[in-house]
Amino acid sequence: MIGRLADGFSWGVATSAYQIEGSPFSDGAGESIWDRFVRTKGTVAGGDTGDIACDHYRRMEEDVALMARLGVDTYSFSIAWTRVIPDGHGVVNSAGLDFYDRLVDTLLANGIEPCPTLYHWDLPQALQDRGGWPERATVDAFVHYADVVSSALGDRAKHWITHNEPWVASMLGYLEGAHAPGLRDWRAALPAAHHLLLSHGRSVPIIRANVPGASVGITIDCRPTVPASSDPADLAAQRHFDGFRNRWFFDPVFGRGYPEDIVATYRDRGRFEGARPPFDQQGDMAEIAAPIDFLGVNYYTSLTVAAGADEIEDTGVAPGPNPPGGHTEMGWPITPAALSQFLKRVHDDYGPDRIIVTENGASFSDAPGPDGRVRDERRIRYLSEHIEAVADAAAQGVPVVGYYVWSFMDNFEWSLGYSQRFGLVFVDFATGERTPKDSFHWYARLIRG
Ligand code: FCB
């Protein structure tokens, strides 16, 4: 199977800052929208917070040593904006930057390539207080932050991701209200999405200028959509959801502007003022389409859509009746074939030079047995089926050059708190103890093979 993947294929694991670090206010860090959101009653299952999480902020060296045992080529992590610039736009906090400086050095000393993501959803609360992503000024703040971080780390970190999943950041945060900052407003969500994309495009040339030999990309979550039946109404709903979930983000990044069918629908439904999206100013689309070195795609499942589906209620996944592959514990249908098809489609429609699957993985709650071993065969099956799907796409000529498992270790799963476990490493959240699962040993063997 691996033989079908290119030489130099990069195997990795992924995490994000708020989900693993803990110590959110240490060493001068500022408050983020997630620090605020988790303190709002009823937002997160079990009232969980990221205050301790995996305590990675204090156990970083130990975690990197475990990654070295796993044998990964790449570690994809995110940087907490609030550690580096506590109020989002003003003074740089060198103590916060030091953490990532040490992380990069520790990774390199262990032969692991660092892949920082600048934004994995933890906007400084001070910027949200000024309106957050719906405000155009947030773009300038992000570009300044990207400049600071890439000039500090760019002599050693070469592989950069601007944003993780702008659909989630805008639509779950500003439309569905399931994520921070918890708004439910189309007229906030659409400009938020636009400014996320614009901040991506504007920071690409800055990162390139700061980082000799840089490879810069963006990660978009892909959610293939499947019509519930061949009824024309279901087909139309599916086409709309594909626009809402996928094309609204992929099209601008690859120079096509916003998809006209979706612009028309949003206009007809009054989701922006006027005939055209007013936030899309002259020249923005050219900036958003800044050439990238690779496209990151995150993939978990596909979405079955029926006529009458409403975006606010159905932004998650409609599980559909008994999918043949079963579900993960997120309730997500297991649909590996849709990953090969989607990779092929991205290649055919958009032609990025290189594609990396920057997240893929499964929630299963298997815990240590009496002998201490975590027998997570279901995760092993999920991962191997999806890696097969990546190899299938590669065999069809898709230039996919890397695959990162979500996640290195169990962590804080956003509004679901600690109820979902995606890790190759089991974390006992009461003690912080780490136990590599069977899937960890399986992945280590696969990488060595
Ligand atoms: C992705 C997120 C990641 C994690 C996985 C399960 O959408 O990027 O942080 O929550 O889903």
Side-chain angles (χ1 to χ4, degrees), residues 46-338:
D48 291 343
T49 75
D51 285 358
I52 299 175
C54 305
D55 203 15
H56 171 75
Y57 191 70
R58 300 191 305 167
R59 303 176 69 142
M60 180 271 284
E61 279 86 0
E62 169 193 346
D63 288 334
V64 174
L66 199 51
M67 271 173 226
R69 261 177 66 195
L70 181 59
V72 285
D73 303 302
T74 305
Y75 173 44
S76 168
F77 58 95
S78 80
I79 293 174
W81 187 341
T82 49
R83 293 200 193 282
V84 179
I85 305 178
D87 73 356
H89 68 284
V91 176
V92 174
N93 174 40
S94 60
L97 200 46
D98 276 358
F99 172 72
Y100 299 105
D101 204 74
R102 282 192 291 116
L103 172 59
V104 165
D105 284 344
T106 310
L107 288 166
L108 292 173
N110 282 278
I112 301 170
E113 171 167 56
C115 176
T117 291
L118 288 168
Y119 190 73
H120 199 125
W121 313 345
D122 42 3
L123 185 73
Q125 180 62 42
L127 294 181
Q128 183 56 39
D129 292 342
R130 299 162 166 229
W133 283 111
E135 281 302 317
R136 206 170 163 95
T138 302
V139 175
D140 301 329
F142 180 85
V143 171
H144 169 57
Y145 157 64
D147 187 17
V148 168
V149 178
S150 59
S151 41
L153 305 180
D155 55 333
R156 289 151 292 149
K158 301 296 174 190
H159 187 40
W160 291 80
I161 297 174
T162 53
H163 281 283
N164 176 67
E165 301 190 349
W167 180 86
V168 172
S170 53
M171 298 301 161
L172 292 190
Y174 292 88
L175 176 64
E176 197 187 328
H179 279 193
L183 302 190
R184 283 173 77 93
D185 181 1
W186 274 105
R187 291 196 177 186
L190 291 176
H194 186 77
H195 296 140
L196 284 155
L197 291 174
L198 184 59
S199 73
H200 151 74
R202 280 199 185 158
S203 55
V204 168
I206 292 180
I207 298 170
R208 273 221 187 88
N210 289 337
V211 181
S215 172
V216 192
I218 181 171
T219 283
I220 306 182
D221 47 320
C222 55
R223 192 54 65 87
T225 53
V226 184
S229 78
S230 55
D231 186 298
D234 287 344
L235 292 170
Q238 179 248 327
R239 170 101 188 133
H240 175 70
F241 262 70
D242 179 57
F244 166 59
R245 293 276 333 212
N246 301 310
R247 289 181 286 126
W248 194 259
F249 295 87
F250 284 96
D251 282 15
V253 166
F254 290 98
R256 297 179 170 195
Y258 287 126
E260 282 304 328
D261 57 329
I262 309 299
V263 170
T265 304
Y266 287 169
R267 177 182 54 233
D268 295 348
R269 297 182 184 173
R271 290 173 181 173
F272 54 78
E273 189 87 51
R276 304 288 315 167
F279 41 80
D280 179 14
Q281 297 185 6
Q282 180 83 37
D284 286 1
M285 282 299 162
E287 288 192 282
I288 291 172
I292 51 178
D293 300 297
F294 68 93
L295 171 71
V297 298
N298 290 352
Y299 178 79
Y300 290 91
T301 187
S302 54
L303 176 68
T304 300
V305 186
D310 172 77
E311 298 102 328
I312 298 194
E313 299 309 328
D314 296 330
T315 48
V317 177
N322 301 320
H327 294 98
T328 68
E329 289 180 17
M330 292 289 279
W332 293 349
I334 300 174
T335 52

Side-chain angles (χ1 to χ4, degrees), residues 18 24-25 31-52 125 178-182 412-418:
Y18 189 75
F25 301 110
E31 184 188 22
S32 83
I33 55 174
W34 271 93
D35 294 315
R36 178 72 61 96
F37 190 67
V38 297
R39 285 172 175 71
T40 311
K41 209 169 162 5
T43 53
V44 176
D48 291 343
T49 75
D51 285 358
I52 299 175
Q125 180 62 42
H179 279 193
F412 175 81
E413 179 47 35
W414 308 112
S415 57
L416 300 173
Y418 297 101

